[in-house]
Amino acid sequence: MTSQSPATNPAAGSAKSMDAIMALCKRRGFVYQASEIYGGINGFWDYGPLGSQLKKNLRDAWWQDMVLRPCWGKTGPGGREVRCVPVETCIIQHPKVWAASGHVGGFNDPMMDCKESKRRYRADHLRYVKTTDPSEGRMFAFVEGDADTFEEALKRLGKYVKRTLGEGDLEIITDAKPDGQFLARVVGPHAKEAGTLTEPRAFNLMFKTYVGATATDDDVAYLRPETAQGVFVQFKNVVDTTRVKVPFGIGNVGKSFRNEVTPRNFTFRSREFEQMELEFFCHPDESMEWFTFWREFRMAWWESLGLAGENLRLYDTPKKDLAHYSQAGSDVEYRFPFTYPGFGELEGVAHRGNFDLTQHQQHSGAKMEYNDTERGELLPNGQRRGERYLPHCIEPAAGLDRGVLAVLCEAYTKDESRPSPEFMKIHPRLAPIKAAVFPLVAKDGMPEIAHKLHDELLRRFWREGLVESDDKQTIGKRYARMDEAGCPYCFTIDSDTLKDQTVTVRDRDTGGQQRIAISHAAAFLSDKLGL
Ligand code: ATP
């Protein structure tokens, strides 16, 4: 008999196949392994023509809805307008930034090495199983994975137990804390003998480099592990050089680097990835209201991009798991195929108090206080003295690559009855190809009309994404290709077009077709894309 924790017990329904999704991503040019011709490099991924456009569209959507017109123009607590400005800060900062933020001292994952197999594991990703036979009490560790991997691992362990110990049931220990005595009895995931796993050791996730030619210890610098700190160190400059007033946000988008111990699950945990972070500064008394506001808006934002339904949820961090400076935290989580039926973090919304500004004030000696002239003591002359304080910060921190992965997983749809048994239901706002134009056959003047329409749509929609045209292969194959690319609308020029200047529009999701005037094609697409 085996027991399973709720997190790994497959619920009704089943997860999509990650292998199938990855194969489609490669086949259609969404995601490639980095340095593939050299055998790849673990934890690094490149985006192909469709993937890079999809990623740009998601980044643009964030920028539009968080910086240019924050929260779709919705007002915040107390009917206040939500105001945000952008910055773009360096990947390499002064090393003291990371000492102040706590990353150099404490940005660690617990890591274990196996002396026998020479493999390395994250201690919090190992699960332990023991036989229920009390006289033996031998334990086996394996790497936590999706439900299938878990089942597979249990089967292998079951066989192993039978072979080495005779009959015995398995019991899973979820809260085991690996200490020396415990580990002496554990057989590692890829080992034959017990006691080959080292105790967990802290492993710093920061990528180290050297600035300048001498490469001595004094020249050590780090690639940033998050974009947020760039905002905190420029907070004063933004306040002093622009007209922003608390409450306001500063957005920062760009690459971050973490030397993850166990990069895995496609792009979910990479060593180089992109973040979209907003630091929203507000008065301490209003901070919980702003936290609630952002928590809800960020969930609504991901829903608006097609991640709605039971695959998306908001998870509130229990008080005991919050950082010492934090009053609240929630994660927007997506049910990825490899976390199914559990969820994986897409974005964290954190109430960071004034921790970061305090730290940078202490470490740099620069004054970070904000002078709030809308608050504070009213003077006899009718003016205010102004209240000085370190604003509190609410941080919605989203992963761009994880966002793209969630969009790809959600979009992947199987339907054997269609010309393409697999197709990608990507939200029209994010779809890399917005439309395609086909002549039904490459004769009778159809290609010329198609090329004219393609040209018109390209001129109108190039800011939104790609517009394709294709004269080759059967129309079914061309539709199938566009379905796999996630193109929401295909316009086809046929013999009727020659007579009545209408075209067929095919809807990717339903496969349904309708005829519209060719002169109406751009307006039709504009309407469907919500422009
Ligand atoms: P995790 O617990 O999964 O390691 P985290 O809590 O450390 O994530 P944050 O520091 O809050 O993550 O970073 C904000 C966002 O950046 C995450 O929600 C995630 O989307 C993204 N992110 C973090 N680490 C990685 C990574 N190694 N690869 C891809 N995206 C990442």
Side-chain angles (χ1 to χ4, degrees):
M1 193 198 85
T2 59
S3 63
Q4 290 189 339
S5 71
T8 50
N9 188 12
S14 61
K16 296 177 185 176
S17 156
M18 210 50 219
D19 286 346
I21 294 172
M22 287 171 74
L24 187 144
C25 282
K26 167 94 190 278
R27 186 167 73 244
R28 284 289 164 232
F30 281 102
V31 184
Y32 306 132
Q33 201 181 8
S35 308
E36 189 184 297
I37 59 170
Y38 290 98
I41 170 164
N42 200 7
F44 297 87
W45 297 92
D46 290 339
Y47 289 86
L50 289 190
S52 53
Q53 183 64 44
L54 170 61
K55 190 170 168 180
K56 179 185 183 301
N57 291 351
L58 185 57
R59 190 192 294 112
D60 285 353
W62 188 92
W63 190 270
Q64 285 156 8
D65 299 344
M66 296 293 279
V67 177
L68 298 180
R69 186 171 175 255
C71 310
W72 309 318
K74 265 166 52 119
T75 50
R80 277 188 188 260
E81 186 193 344
V82 185
R83 287 165 299 185
C84 297
V85 293
V87 293
E88 185 185 313
T89 65
C90 283
I91 285 170
I92 294 186
Q93 299 279 340
H94 194 292
K96 283 188 183 166
V97 169
W98 309 115
S101 68
H103 285 94
V104 170
F107 192 48
N108 298 317
D109 275 342
M111 180 195 78
M112 295 161 94
D113 287 306
C114 176
K115 288 177 237 163
E116 185 186 315
S117 67
K118 307 288 179 232
R119 300 229 193 183
R120 175 166 283 178
Y121 310 100
R122 250 181 73 171
D124 52 338
H125 288 171
L126 285 189
R127 303 279 300 269
Y128 302 93
V129 174
K130 74 170 180 181
T131 58
T132 49
D133 175 1
S135 63
E136 190 50 59
R138 198 151 180 205
M139 292 180 179
F140 306 90
F142 61 92
V143 182
E144 190 184 357
D146 56 23
D148 289 346
T149 321
F150 181 85
E151 277 301 323
E152 183 54 38
L154 278 184
K155 256 192 229 148
R156 274 194 290 111
L157 285 165
K159 279 187 196 154
Y160 185 80
V161 169
K162 222 171 169 178
R163 203 171 60 240
T164 54
L165 307 173
E167 290 300 326
D169 287 348
L170 295 177
E171 180 194 348
I172 295 168
I173 312 176
T174 46
D175 55 354
K177 297 265 178 307
D179 58 36
Q181 212 185 357
F182 170 87
L183 285 174
R185 290 183 288 135
V186 172
V187 182
H190 302 93
K192 292 201 174 65
E193 299 302 318
T196 61
L197 290 173
T198 62
E199 285 201 40
R201 278 176 299 144
F203 175 79
N204 194 285
L205 301 186
M206 301 271 279
F207 273 102
K208 238 187 207 177
T209 187
Y210 297 94
V211 174
T214 46
T216 67
D217 281 353
D218 292 341
D219 307 314
V220 166
Y222 302 94
L223 305 190
R224 69 178 171 201
E226 60 173 39
T227 50
Q229 296 304 321
V231 170
F232 295 121
V233 298
Q234 291 298 356
F235 170 75
K236 254 323 225 187
N237 270 339
V238 173
V239 169
D240 292 346
T241 59
T242 70
R243 287 169 169 252
V244 289
K245 285 201 177 347
V246 165
F248 74 97
I250 305 180
N252 199 11
V253 174
K255 291 273 186 162
S256 292
F257 301 81
R258 295 183 189 176
N259 199 1
E260 297 281 359
V261 179
T262 48
R264 60 188 177 141
N265 292 330
F266 204 17
T267 57
F268 181 83
R269 188 170 300 286
S270 314
R271 288 178 163 144
E272 174 176 340
F273 56 97
E274 200 163 333
Q275 291 183 306
M276 310 180 290
E277 298 197 285
L278 184 85
E279 308 306 314
F280 193 83
F281 299 96
C282 56
H283 189 275
D285 292 350
E286 294 175 351
S287 59
M288 274 315 285
E289 281 176 273
W290 279 108
F291 169 77
T292 306
F293 173 81
W294 280 110
R295 172 187 178 280
E296 283 161 14
F297 177 70
R298 293 309 301 156
M299 179 72 178
W301 188 77
W302 287 108
E303 283 175 346
S304 81
L305 298 173
L307 299 187
E310 59 183 18
N311 287 342
L312 197 71
R313 75 170 189 189
L314 253 179
Y315 173 79
D316 292 320
T317 314
K319 278 257 174 307
K320 67 176 177 45
D321 296 334
L322 291 172
H324 64 92
Y325 50 78
S326 178
Q327 290 175 35
S330 300
D331 290 342
V332 181
E333 297 187 329
Y334 180 73
R335 183 185 265 152
F336 292 92
F338 47 81
T339 57
Y340 184 93
F343 290 77
E345 179 182 327
L346 197 54
E347 165 160 357
V349 182
H351 184 312
R352 300 187 60 87
N354 59 16
F355 175 75
D356 304 273
L357 291 180
T358 306
Q359 287 294 105
H360 287 299
Q361 181 164 274
Q362 276 172 8
H363 281 72
S364 68
K367 275 252 161 282
M368 292 287 181
E369 276 184 346
Y370 176 76
N371 184 19
D372 193 335
T373 50
E374 285 170 18
R375 295 171 184 265
E377 191 190 341
L378 197 57
L379 301 172
N381 65 6
Q383 294 194 326
R384 284 197 186 272
R385 189 188 299 280
E387 182 185 334
R388 290 183 172 275
Y389 57 90
L390 286 174
H392 276 202
C393 180
I394 311 302
E395 177 191 80
L400 178 52
D401 303 83
R402 275 192 200 173
V404 169
L405 183 58
V407 167
L408 288 167
C409 292
E410 184 71 22
Y412 179 84
T413 312
K414 274 191 91 137
D415 182 350
E416 300 292 343
S417 70
R418 293 169 57 114
S420 65
E422 293 169 307
F423 71 107
M424 298 296 274
K425 269 189 180 176
I426 302 176
H427 191 282
R429 189 176 179 196
L430 301 178
I433 304 176
K434 301 300 185 200
V437 184
F438 304 142
L440 183 62
V441 287
K443 58 180 189 190
D444 300 336
M446 290 182 212
E448 288 75 11
I449 300 174
H451 292 165
K452 201 162 154 246
L453 178 60
H454 174 241
D455 206 48
E456 182 194 338
L457 296 182
L458 200 59
R459 268 186 281 117
R460 169 69 184 77
F461 296 102
W462 64 270
R463 288 178 199 82
E464 277 71 47
L466 309 164
V467 180
E468 297 247 310
S469 73
D470 193 352
D471 299 3
K472 310 253 164 30
Q473 295 186 311
T474 64
I475 193 74
K477 281 198 175 139
R478 281 180 276 168
Y479 284 150
R481 223 183 112 245
M482 282 301 125
D483 281 354
E484 286 199 344
C487 168
Y489 299 101
C490 294
F491 297 89
T492 304
I493 314 297
D494 55 21
S495 53
D496 283 347
T497 314
L498 308 173
K499 289 184 238 148
D500 61 8
Q501 283 76 51
T502 59
V503 288
T504 299
V505 192
R506 179 178 174 278
D507 182 301
R508 173 198 65 199
D509 296 347
T510 61
Q513 305 194 357
Q514 60 173 303
R515 284 200 87 80
I516 61 166
I518 196 164
S519 57
H520 191 58
F524 173 92
L525 189 58
S526 179
D527 184 47
K528 293 291 185 187
L529 297 180
L531 300 172

